[in-house]
Amino acid sequence: MRRVLLRTLFLVAAVVVGTTSAASAAPGTQPQGSQDLLAKVVVIGVPGLRWSDVEASPELTALVNQSNVGSITVKTAGPHTCPIDGWLTINAGTRAWGSVPDQGCGELPGVVDGKIQGWQTYVDRQAEHHTGAPLGRLAESRDRICGFGPGAAVALARTDGTVANWTESLDPALLASNACGDAIIDAGPMPLREGREEARKKVADLVAQARAADGWVLLVGVAEETAVAHQEPLVAMQLPPDNGPRWLTSDSTRRPGLIQLTDVTATILRGEAKELDPAGSEQPGPLDGNEIHSTGDVHTDAAAVIEDRLDTNERFEHPRPVLGWLAITLLVAQLAALGWFLITRSRRARSTSVFTLLTQGGFFITVFLTTVTQWWRWPSPGLSLYFVALAMSAAVAGLAWAFLKEYAYLGILGAAYVILLVDGVLGTPLQFGSMFTDGPVIGGRFYGFGNSTFAVLAVAALVMAGWAAQRVLDRSRVQAALVVLAIGGLAIIVDGKPGWGTDFGGIIALTPAVLLMAWLTWRGGITWKALLGIGVAGVLAVSAVAFLDYLRPADQRSHFGTFVARLLDGDVNDVLIRKLQMSLGFFDSVAGWAMLIGVLLAMAATVWPDKVPSEAYRRFYVSKPMVRPTLLALSTCGLIGMLLNDAGVVLPAIMAGFALPLLVAHLLSVNADQQPATVSPEPHLVQES
């Protein structure tokens, strides 16, 4: 049996890989009647074109039922998406950086003697910020492409900044001629106040002229009007529609009704781009976007479509701000209740404190379940989300306490485990637009599990694995270890499988933690040789999954396969540098250092429990054999995630924010008259190999 378990521990990676590979399918939404892209593609770019503009314009409203529609996220490499950032991103086919953060957007550069003024400045800016954006890729990859307007000149500039087949304003005859295989038209930014109505009419007129050229017209917002403009997904329409007006999508978002800016370049190039060296030390990379196509049911009610798009903007606008207010509310409630208990030591104060702590735990479930209520369609969406989330969190806490009493934390963790597994298998519908998922406004994850979601799943999976293993531990340590592998392995599969969780960084952290926990369950301690073997097995598991994903067609790869492609092409320096900068960026504030100190103290408490000034915790630590392996696995997962993930210290901080309140609630609710216990470290926890 020991040989069987040993092989299971080190071959769990192969099981995960095999299951993932066999179950994997092309993850993207399948198009329904994709447009024949052999036709001329005419892109009309309008910085700041919003769905509120469509609602206010009869001319633009009339286009809705004649178009495949959606919203476009215009996040680029920099903190702002000024027009220069948007047009450079279309130029490169990957997120570019054009503006200066502490300055306004300014005017677009002019064209003098057939060359963009100050072109080298923009090239140098890509190297400075490690964007890896190969400026000039669109024009170098596509012949007979024409441009009209200042933004189009930027989009069509070649590697040296020269521009061909470009005029300052639209020439309908040239657009309709064979000299233009494809075209880009800059309609100019929408005015902030006066003149917006005239600008809308101008856009509708440009669409009519482009359609007269017998083209596949794509009307999109390409940037914000100014650096301080309200950020939201902008308008995207494609006409004439193929097989009836439907919803725009692409394999880069895998969401009906949503595309991103880099999809525009991929659509013009039909997914095939010339390989160019970006500025700086980075290596050439693939297109970031995918070709745009249509999907879903036919829509025939323009008013309903516009309302849906406006509601969608509400859905992405409010979660982040509301998350901050909810966090403050829950923290204040917990501190107030805990202070009341410490002062009075009354039974009511104890119960109130336990309830507020459980409510905090319930919030980590509610953050996903609130999307089921479609709060963004309610009056005052932000306020509605706030009160709905609080009510649902309290309801989860109340139900768990009513049925499980001092073991309410197990009910909350078990619910989180099941909900996230089901959500992952279904394609993560609860993630999209939730408070824990980066919305399209900031160009974050469009599908799969993000860092925050993974943190919740990791805590739930490891604790539930420890609880289940404890149930069979007296019968057989081997069986208990296999239970850990089963529960933890299922979480790894759902979290990592392309098309489900698609979380590359997550399985890097969770796999070694599950293997370590299984080994400690089986043997009670661990040798340095076994610890090294667990690390190697985890690396092999992650590498194998990523390589299998890489073997799929490029337009079907997830983050795993894309990373391998960049690695094989030698184009990972810019990715790693950006991720490192994001990770270290949290230490620019006091909050980042406070999180780090808190996380390190929490981890230390799992290794040296006898140093913790809490008799209840020390008693709990030795109360059951599976407590130690579970806590050590949690610390391992958090530590690896902090070191290897772009979320940095935030990932283990979220794990602690979920686990600690539930642990404290349990310690407060157990009988206070238990005898104290002295923690004696197991001498074989780490043995000499």
Side-chain angles (χ1 to χ4, degrees):
M1 289 301 294
R2 288 189 175 185
R3 291 195 189 97
V4 170
L5 181 59
L6 183 61
R7 291 169 183 168
T8 303
L9 284 169
F10 288 104
L11 294 180
V12 68
V15 175
V16 172
V17 169
T19 305
T20 301
S21 177
S24 292
T29 306
Q30 294 301 314
Q32 298 187 9
S34 296
Q35 170 71 32
D36 179 9
L37 288 184
L38 295 178
K40 177 181 298 187
V41 176
V42 181
V43 175
I44 302 176
V46 192
L49 182 62
R50 307 178 188 282
W51 277 102
S52 56
D53 291 310
V54 178
E55 182 184 39
S57 168
E59 295 84 2
L60 294 178
T61 298
L63 297 177
V64 173
N65 284 343
Q66 307 172 37
S67 310
N68 294 318
V69 300
S71 300
I72 182 170
T73 172
V74 295
K75 180 67 175 71
T76 54
H80 306 299
T81 302
C82 292
I84 184 64
D85 299 275
W87 290 116
L88 285 174
T89 294
I90 292 177
N91 176 296
T94 188
R95 292 178 180 178
W97 192 318
S99 57
V100 180
D102 57 350
Q103 298 180 9
C105 287
E107 299 291 332
L108 291 172
V111 178
V112 178
D113 297 329
K115 185 174 182 179
I116 300 293
Q117 287 184 302
W119 180 252
Q120 189 59 41
T121 300
Y122 301 114
V123 175
D124 294 341
R125 198 159 288 161
Q126 310 315 307
E128 176 187 354
H129 296 289
H130 304 282
T131 67
L135 297 186
R137 177 152 57 180
L138 177 57
E140 299 284 1
S141 303
R142 190 68 175 165
D143 296 327
R144 296 189 307 115
I145 184 168
C146 299
F148 306 94
V154 174
L156 297 181
R158 296 181 177 273
T159 54
D160 59 358
T162 58
V163 182
N165 298 328
W166 174 82
T167 60
E168 191 170 351
S169 59
L170 177 62
D171 183 344
L174 177 60
L175 176 64
S177 70
N178 291 332
C180 289
D182 298 304
I184 296 179
I185 302 173
D186 176 13
M190 299 295 293
L192 289 180
R193 294 179 180 85
E194 295 182 3
R196 203 168 182 100
E197 182 177 352
E198 291 74 14
R200 297 176 188 130
K201 293 179 179 179
K202 175 185 175 182
V203 171
D205 183 58
L206 286 174
V207 171
Q209 294 182 67
R211 292 189 67 179
D214 195 24
W216 192 89
V217 180
L218 184 61
L219 172 64
V220 291
V222 297
E224 301 294 342
E225 308 98 311
T226 68
V228 296
H230 176 68
Q231 294 184 347
E232 63 185 55
L234 302 180
V235 170
M237 295 189 194
Q238 175 264 308
L239 61 164
D242 48 325
N243 195 27
R246 301 177 187 273
W247 298 96
L248 291 177
T249 187
S250 75
D251 285 340
S252 64
T253 68
R254 304 178 189 177
R255 299 290 183 183
L258 184 65
I259 60 175
Q260 61 175 336
L261 191 58
T262 50
D263 294 334
V264 173
T265 310
T267 300
I268 297 173
L269 297 179
R270 283 67 168 175
E272 298 181 359
K274 185 177 180 180
E275 187 174 280
L276 296 178
D277 290 324
S281 59
E282 291 77 16
Q283 296 298 313
L287 289 168
D288 277 355
N290 294 93
E291 295 180 63
I292 299 166
H293 57 255
S294 60
T295 189
D297 297 329
V298 173
H299 62 78
T300 57
D301 187 341
V305 170
I306 294 171
E307 183 180 4
D308 175 85
R309 293 296 87 194
L310 293 174
D311 285 344
T312 298
N313 286 347
E314 296 280 2
R315 180 179 185 178
F316 299 137
E317 175 184 352
H318 296 290
R320 284 286 172 173
V322 171
L323 176 63
W325 285 110
L326 284 169
I328 293 173
T329 301
L330 292 171
L331 179 60
V332 169
Q334 290 172 62
L335 292 177
L338 187 59
W340 181 26
F341 169 69
L342 293 176
I343 293 172
T344 66
R345 298 286 177 173
S346 67
R347 183 180 298 274
R348 178 175 295 181
R350 180 190 293 269
S351 298
T352 302
S353 185
V354 169
F355 179 76
T356 59
L357 292 166
L358 293 177
T359 301
Q360 166 87 2
F363 171 73
F364 285 84
I365 302 175
T366 298
V367 73
F368 308 113
L369 292 181
T370 49
T371 58
V372 177
T373 68
Q374 296 191 352
W375 53 265
W376 54 91
R377 302 184 188 277
W378 297 15
S380 301
L383 200 60
S384 297
L385 174 59
Y386 176 83
F387 285 111
V388 166
L390 278 181
M392 293 181 70
S393 300
V396 170
L399 288 172
W401 175 255
F403 286 99
L404 298 174
K405 298 301 180 184
E406 65 264 27
Y407 296 102
Y409 74 97
L410 288 175
I412 293 174
L413 290 165
Y417 179 74
V418 172
I419 288 171
L420 290 181
L421 289 188
V422 172
D423 187 48
V425 171
L426 294 178
T428 62
L430 296 181
Q431 309 298 309
F432 194 55
S434 74
M435 286 178 277
F436 271 6
T437 303
D438 291 339
V441 171
I442 62 173
R445 180 181 285 269
F446 298 110
Y447 56 88
F449 290 158
N451 295 321
S452 303
T453 303
F454 164 74
V456 176
L457 177 62
V459 171
L462 293 173
V463 175
M464 293 312 297
W467 170 79
Q470 182 65 52
R471 305 281 292 181
V472 299
L473 188 65
D474 291 339
R475 188 186 316 157
S476 168
R477 278 190 171 271
V478 172
Q479 292 181 17
L482 292 174
V483 166
V484 171
L485 291 176
I487 295 176
L490 183 58
I492 292 171
I493 292 171
V494 174
D495 180 61
K497 179 185 176 301
W500 288 2
T502 323
D503 183 17
F504 190 25
I507 63 173
I508 293 177
L510 187 55
T511 301
V514 171
L515 293 176
L516 174 65
M517 186 176 178
W519 187 282
L520 290 172
T521 303
W522 174 37
R523 301 299 297 270
I526 189 169
T527 64
W528 290 110
K529 182 185 292 186
L531 192 63
L532 178 62
I534 288 172
V536 171
V539 171
L540 291 176
V542 174
S543 301
V545 172
F547 185 73
L548 287 173
D549 189 47
Y550 164 75
L551 296 178
R552 293 160 50 168
D555 61 347
Q556 297 178 10
R557 293 173 187 158
S558 65
H559 308 292
F560 304 102
T562 301
F563 181 81
V564 173
R566 287 182 176 273
L567 181 64
L568 295 178
D569 292 338
D571 182 36
V572 294
N573 290 341
D574 58 322
V575 176
L576 296 178
I577 290 174
R578 287 200 301 270
K579 288 183 176 294
L580 180 61
Q581 289 175 337
M582 290 176 62
S583 178
L584 296 178
F586 294 107
F587 298 113
D588 292 338
S589 65
V590 176
W593 289 101
M595 282 192 291
L596 178 62
I597 294 172
V599 164
L600 293 178
L601 289 175
M603 291 180 179
T606 67
V607 180
W608 300 289
D610 54 314
K611 304 296 183 182
V612 177
S614 169
E615 180 182 310
Y617 175 76
R618 296 195 298 270
R619 185 165 53 239
F620 167 75
Y621 195 91
V622 296
S623 62
K624 292 180 175 61
M626 283 306 302
V627 172
R628 182 189 293 262
T630 302
L631 293 177
L632 290 175
L634 286 169
S635 287
T636 300
C637 183
L639 181 62
I640 296 175
M642 180 174 65
L643 296 177
L644 300 181
N645 199 289
D646 56 9
V649 70
V650 172
L651 192 147
I654 294 174
M655 293 178 65
F658 187 27
L660 281 179
L662 295 177
L663 174 58
V664 175
H666 174 69
L667 296 179
L668 282 174
S669 58
V670 295
N671 294 330
D673 57 352
Q674 294 186 23
Q675 294 299 317
T678 302
V679 176
S680 55
E682 298 180 26
H684 53 287
L685 180 61
V686 177
Q687 301 172 346
E688 292 296 327
S689 59

